[in-house]
Amino acid sequence: SQQGEEDPQALSIQEGENATMNCSYKTSINNLQWYRQNSGRGLVHLILIRSNEREKHSGRLRVTLDTSKKSSSLLITASRAADTASYFCATNSGYSTLTFGKGTMLLVSP
Amino acid sequence: DGGITQSPKYLFRKEGQNVTLSCEQNLNHDAMYWYRQDPGQGLRLIYYSQIVNDFQKGDIAEGYSVSREKKESFPLTVTSAQKNPTAFYLCASRRTGGEQFFGPGTRLTVL
């Protein structure tokens, strides 16, 4: 079963704008991870946030986690055309597996 | 150059045939995973292995089989029992700490 649900399903913005994607999940987690997938390619790990963390930054990426609301958000600042991809959240509930959402498709237009 | 390789990139199969997808990693990771991705969907776990000579079923194991005879290799066989095998297949390995590293994928089409 897919625990994470991303919102929106698709997002279209202009270069330079910020992009925000949200992820909701159902059960308690050890950590939550965000991945990027370019069309027809494998996934690339972006950032991992643990259940005892509230915010994490990596370059132009900012991830927040609210365990009371069982939700996370991924913010990409000053987006570029190269950020065009699908973005997935994945939850780890203490076992060795991840449960992925269906993803948000981001289109950044020049 | 460390990473995960999957071959072939594209694979065509006739109905009723078994086919094996290759996955190799030189990252020295213990855990490896196979996922299936359908258009516009997320990843669904087929099988995973945490150590050599051991593996567990994921959410959609029916019609698939795996082996883990070497740490570096985790091949997936799509059998004729898999009713709808056309999909994009992704292999991954995991480092201690939780993040997974993915191969480039194999797109399987059943004719």
Side-chain angles (χ1 to χ4, degrees), chain B residues 49-65:
Chain B
S49 168
Q50 297 186 72
I51 199 166
V52 173
N53 292 323
D54 187 50
F55 48 82
Q56 288 80 39
K57 293 181 179 180
D59 298 320
I60 55 165
E62 185 176 351
Y64 300 97
S65 66

Side-chain angles (χ1 to χ4, degrees), chain B residues 18-92:
Chain B
N18 292 356
V19 63
T20 298
L21 282 59
S22 167
C23 177
E24 304 279 332
Q25 56 102 357
N26 62 3
L27 299 168
N28 201 34
H29 291 169
D30 286 315
M32 296 186 74
Y33 304 81
W34 273 106
Y35 295 92
R36 169 184 173 133
Q37 186 178 31
D38 293 285
Q41 300 295 312
L43 278 64
R44 291 186 289 168
L45 182 64
I46 305 173
Y47 267 98
Y48 66 103
S49 168
Q50 297 186 72
I51 199 166
V52 173
N53 292 323
D54 187 50
F55 48 82
Q56 288 80 39
K57 293 181 179 180
D59 298 320
I60 55 165
E62 185 176 351
Y64 300 97
S65 66
V66 294
S67 63
R68 186 86 186 278
E69 297 176 2
K70 298 186 301 182
K71 188 175 186 177
E72 301 79 19
S73 179
F74 191 40
L76 173 74
T77 297
V78 184
T79 75
S80 56
Q82 168 47 237
K83 295 189 188 334
N84 186 19
T86 294
F88 189 49
Y89 291 88
L90 287 159
C91 178

